[in-house]
């Protein structure tokens, strides 16, 4: 399969994670458990990260952001602090399926004008900056420790669900498959702007829900989003 067909298939095999904090490393371990090849990139040289990656996420490969290896993966996950989103290279991510797992949470992380002065969701702001990336918001409303503890096989009635939102239907299909392989049901909330329903401080963000519960909460949030 060519790299282009892999990127448009629901069967992604390589995951590039930008960020090696608690979220990024937890996601790397879960992706490895699900059978993916994982590349972790930070602003530090790959050699400096290799030992940490070997210890914290054995099986993953440490790469440098500048090497483009993480960005060349079938799926790229943004797991850096949101206020650093302008350090990303839009050219490298153009055309890529990008999962935005970042959050804007002013009470915790501080106030940033990029998001305070813009009525759009943080993911929409990031999507505009990345110009051409196929952005899907997800994985932002589950704790890094829960990600490795709450997974269940498909078909279990108590399986936890995770929402996703995006404007590219094909990209969302790939992300849905990824979420399922991680051990969670995927629930499509709609266009990228619908990601507002699972941003920090929302009922979805602060709880754990099955697919049916999550769908009900998304539906409940739609009139509020329309009025915003």
């Amino acid at each position: 399969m060519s790299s282009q067909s892999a990127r448009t298939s629901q069967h992604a095999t390589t995951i590039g994670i930008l960020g090696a904090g608690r979220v990024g490393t937890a996601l790397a371990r879960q992706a490895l458990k699900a059978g993916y090849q994982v590349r972790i990139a930070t602003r530090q040289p790959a050699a400096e990260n290799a030992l940490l990656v070997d210890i914290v996420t054995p099986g993953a490969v440490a790469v440098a952001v500048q090497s483009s290896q993480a960005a060349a993966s079938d799926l790229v996950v943004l797991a850096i602090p949101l206020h650093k989103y302008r350090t990303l290279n839009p050219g490298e991510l153009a055309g890529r399926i990008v999962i935005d797992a970042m959050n804007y949470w002013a009470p915790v992380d501080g106030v940033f004008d990029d998001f305070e002065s813009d009525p759009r969701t943080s993911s929409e702001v990031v999507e505009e900056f990345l110009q051409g990336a196929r952005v899907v918001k997800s994985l932002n409303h589950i704790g890094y420790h829960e990600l490795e503890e709450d997974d269940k096989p498909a078909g279990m009635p108590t399986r936890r669900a995770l929402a996703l939102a995006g404007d590219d239907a094909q990209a969302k299909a790939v992300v849905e498959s990824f979420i399922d392989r991680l051990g969670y049901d995927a629930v499509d909330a709609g266009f990228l702007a619908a990601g507002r329903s699972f941003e920090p401080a929302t009922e979805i963000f602060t709880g754990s829900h099955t697919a049916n519960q999550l769908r009900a909460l998304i539906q409940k949030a739609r009139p509020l989003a329309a009025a915003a």
Side-chain angles (χ1 to χ4, degrees):
M1 179 182 290
S2 70
S3 60
Q4 176 61 33
S5 60
R7 288 199 300 273
T8 57
S9 167
Q10 293 184 28
H11 305 291
T13 59
T14 57
I15 308 298
I17 300 176
L18 306 187
R22 291 174 175 175
V23 173
T25 53
L27 181 57
R29 289 189 293 270
Q30 196 68 5
L32 286 163
K33 177 181 171 181
Y36 290 98
Q37 299 172 41
V38 178
R39 304 160 177 163
I40 301 179
T42 70
R43 304 305 299 180
Q44 302 302 318
E48 293 183 18
N49 292 326
L51 180 59
L52 173 64
V53 169
D54 285 344
I55 294 172
V56 179
T57 56
V61 176
V63 298
V65 170
Q66 295 86 346
S67 72
S68 303
Q69 287 178 281
S73 302
D74 298 331
L75 272 175
V76 180
V77 183
L78 306 183
I80 61 175
L82 180 58
H83 68 272
K84 295 183 178 180
Y85 80 97
R86 289 186 177 276
T87 65
L88 299 170
N89 186 328
E92 290 182 351
L93 294 173
R96 303 288 176 178
I97 300 174
V98 175
I99 300 177
D100 176 12
M102 304 180 293
N103 284 306
Y104 177 56
W105 204 348
V108 175
D109 302 317
V111 174
F112 298 100
D113 289 341
D114 283 14
F115 310 109
E116 285 290 331
S117 60
D118 197 312
R120 297 174 299 173
T121 64
S122 61
S123 292
E124 291 174 283
V125 174
V126 170
E127 181 184 53
E128 181 181 58
F129 174 74
L130 291 181
Q131 291 183 28
R134 303 163 69 188
V135 176
V136 178
K137 186 176 188 65
S138 193
L139 300 175
N140 69 303
H141 54 293
I142 182 169
Y144 65 89
H145 54 290
E146 296 172 329
L147 186 64
E148 298 181 90
E149 298 170 356
D150 290 357
D151 59 311
K152 288 183 173 64
M156 292 190 67
T158 58
R159 196 187 201 204
R160 183 169 177 173
L162 298 177
L164 67 149
D167 299 332
D168 185 314
Q170 194 172 52
K172 286 196 290 185
V174 175
V175 175
E176 285 176 357
S177 177
F178 177 56
I179 291 172
D180 177 63
R181 284 182 58 179
L182 292 182
Y184 300 89
D185 285 339
V187 175
D188 187 351
F191 293 116
L192 191 60
R196 191 182 305 277
S197 65
F198 49 96
E199 287 184 334
T202 62
E203 191 171 357
I204 293 174
F205 184 90
T206 56
S208 173
H209 313 283
T210 65
N212 286 337
Q213 292 169 338
L214 186 52
R215 290 188 189 98
L217 289 171
I218 290 170
Q219 188 63 36
K220 176 183 173 182
R222 280 176 180 155
L224 298 177

